[in-house]
Amino acid sequence: MRTRITVPDDSLTRLRIALTVFFALDGFVFAGWVVRIPAIKEQTGASASALGLALLGVSAGAVITMMLTGRLCRRYGTHRVTVVCAVLLSLSVALPPLTHSAVALGAVLLIFGAAYGSINVAFNSAAVDLVGALRRPIMPSFHAAFSLGGMLGAGLGGLVAGALSPTRHLFGLTVIGLLVTAVAGRTLLRIPAPTPSQDVPRQTSAPRRQGTRTRGLVITFGLIALCTAYGEGALADWSALHLEHDLEATPGVAAVGYSCFALAMTIGRLTGTRLLERLGQTRTLVGGGTTAALGMLLGALAPSVWAALLGFMITGLGLANLFPVAVERAGRLAGPDGVAIASTLGYGGMLLGPPAIGFMADWFSLPAALTSVAALAATAAVIALLTRRAAG
């Protein structure tokens, strides 16, 4: 039996633009919050350890709500859920500067994290539908928009930090977020989620067995996302310290380390569609994981600052497309639930990375600990290679 639900080409183009805007808005809002963390720490009077526990509220809120969002997307549609979550994200980013204790900060960050995690599941699920309809591997372009939005949000936050209080700055982000949602959200609410033409095979095997196999594959792709996010989290928190303490870089040069990684990742995602069209998903995953592993070995073990910076850039290029491709594969297998599972595992990796690096640095050394990023990138490549036939 053949099912065909078509959406006009111009509508697909408008959907792509609208989803790109929401990805960029997500990165913009989140980065705007991140650059004001030092000021909010001073405002709340939180110690370093108390602030660390409060910041876990973002990740905890995200992980808790991701699976629920998958169910909401199935029931109400990915477009509606994306718009609602964008409103919640825009409103909740204004809450942290209203707190005056670490406990209150942690509570509002649970709300912010819930909105942040939910919108990630919703618009990634919507993007998976659009990728299937267009039959082009454009998923990396959406994640490139997130990275560009994050760079813009961080840059703007740095510019206004001396002129605006955190309250005014983050309230400004609320206003911008609501305005962008009002404009881009109209497209999502007016145009239904596309469904590509597809052949629907008869059920010839046991549904339970088929469901178990599908879930296993989704978890496998989630592990690839975990390996990628582990590296992102580790480099965000530890790259500057490695450059400054182990390689004796100045604080200014050390701060460039993560910027090099983030810029390379953005470039890799902007070119990801062309790379996927030429190499295919499996080769892109295997090549990316291998490249990231070699780059991180250079970044962790290089004897000079500039060689380490080169290693960070190679790592960013290698990791760039692993997460988008893993999420897309999971979404094509199991819809919003697949995206939710892969995203949850990915956030688990981002949570695991920084503290794991810290413990290993105490036991061995920071350069040795950073080689775990290379090990997990290589693991992602191996997983992609071993599951190439099952994924197909």
Side-chain angles (χ1 to χ4, degrees):
M1 178 172 58
R2 183 178 295 274
T3 302
R4 180 182 293 272
I5 300 177
T6 59
V7 178
D9 289 343
D10 62 333
S11 295
L12 294 180
T13 300
R14 284 187 287 141
L15 274 180
R16 182 177 181 180
I17 294 172
L19 283 174
T20 300
V21 169
F22 277 111
F23 272 85
L25 176 64
D26 188 42
F28 178 80
V29 170
F30 189 78
W33 141 249
V34 167
V35 298
R36 302 316 299 254
I37 289 177
I40 293 175
K41 176 182 182 297
E42 183 177 352
Q43 175 182 304
T44 59
S47 64
S49 58
L51 178 65
L53 289 175
L55 292 177
L56 281 177
V58 177
S59 298
V63 170
I64 290 170
T65 57
M66 277 180 168
M67 295 306 299
L68 173 62
T69 306
R71 299 188 185 97
L72 292 175
C73 286
R74 282 205 322 272
R75 183 168 183 177
Y76 298 106
T78 56
H79 291 183
R80 288 182 181 178
V81 176
T82 296
V83 173
V84 170
C85 290
V87 172
L88 294 177
L89 180 72
S90 300
L91 293 174
S92 61
V93 75
L95 297 178
L98 303 181
T99 62
H100 298 282
S101 69
V103 174
L105 178 62
V108 300
L109 288 181
L110 275 172
I111 300 172
F112 178 67
Y116 178 71
S118 296
I119 194 173
N120 273 267
V121 172
F123 61 38
N124 271 296
S125 299
V128 169
D129 292 336
L130 183 57
V131 168
L134 292 173
R135 296 189 176 184
R136 288 194 65 210
I138 62 170
M139 196 70 168
S141 68
F142 294 121
H143 289 259
F146 172 85
S147 299
L148 289 171
M151 293 172 66
L152 179 61
L156 179 63
L159 288 175
V160 304
L164 296 179
S165 66
T167 302
R168 291 182 177 181
H169 175 204
L170 297 186
F171 180 74
L173 295 185
T174 294
V175 174
I176 293 172
L178 292 176
L179 289 175
V180 170
T181 300
V183 175
R186 290 182 180 179
T187 300
L188 292 190
L189 295 178
R190 289 177 178 176
I191 302 176
T195 301
S197 61
Q198 58 184 344
D199 292 325
V200 182
R202 294 184 179 181
Q203 294 290 343
T204 57
S205 59
R208 181 177 296 179
R209 181 178 178 183
Q210 198 172 34
T212 301
R213 178 179 180 275
T214 298
R215 188 174 183 84
L217 282 173
V218 167
I219 292 174
T220 299
F221 298 138
L223 291 176
I224 294 177
L226 183 152
C227 293
T228 305
Y230 177 96
E232 290 187 52
L235 282 168
D237 285 15
W238 293 100
S239 59
L241 191 65
H242 169 57
L243 293 172
E244 188 171 348
H245 287 192
D246 297 319
L247 300 178
E248 299 181 351
T250 63
V253 173
V256 173
Y258 183 71
S259 298
C260 289
F261 169 80
L263 178 61
M265 178 168 278
T266 302
I267 294 172
R269 287 174 170 173
L270 286 172
T271 59
T273 296
R274 182 172 297 179
L275 187 67
L276 285 164
E277 287 177 336
R278 295 190 63 179
L279 300 180
Q281 289 187 339
T282 297
R283 289 182 180 178
T284 299
L285 289 174
V286 173
T290 303
T291 300
L294 295 175
M296 198 60 228
L297 287 176
L298 175 62
L301 304 177
S304 68
V305 171
W306 303 112
L309 291 175
L310 176 61
F312 290 162
M313 292 191 71
I314 294 172
T315 303
L317 288 172
L319 292 180
N321 297 306
L322 269 64
F323 191 94
V325 172
V327 169
E328 182 196 345
R329 281 188 164 186
R332 292 181 69 178
L333 279 169
D337 286 341
V339 173
I341 292 172
S343 299
T344 301
L345 287 171
Y347 270 86
M350 193 166 286
L351 278 172
L352 175 66
I357 295 291
F359 284 121
M360 286 187 283
D362 287 339
W363 294 335
F364 306 106
S365 66
L366 183 52
L370 287 173
T371 61
S372 65
V373 176
L376 285 185
T379 300
V382 172
I383 292 173
L385 186 63
L386 293 177
T387 59
R388 64 189 183 280
R389 291 183 180 177

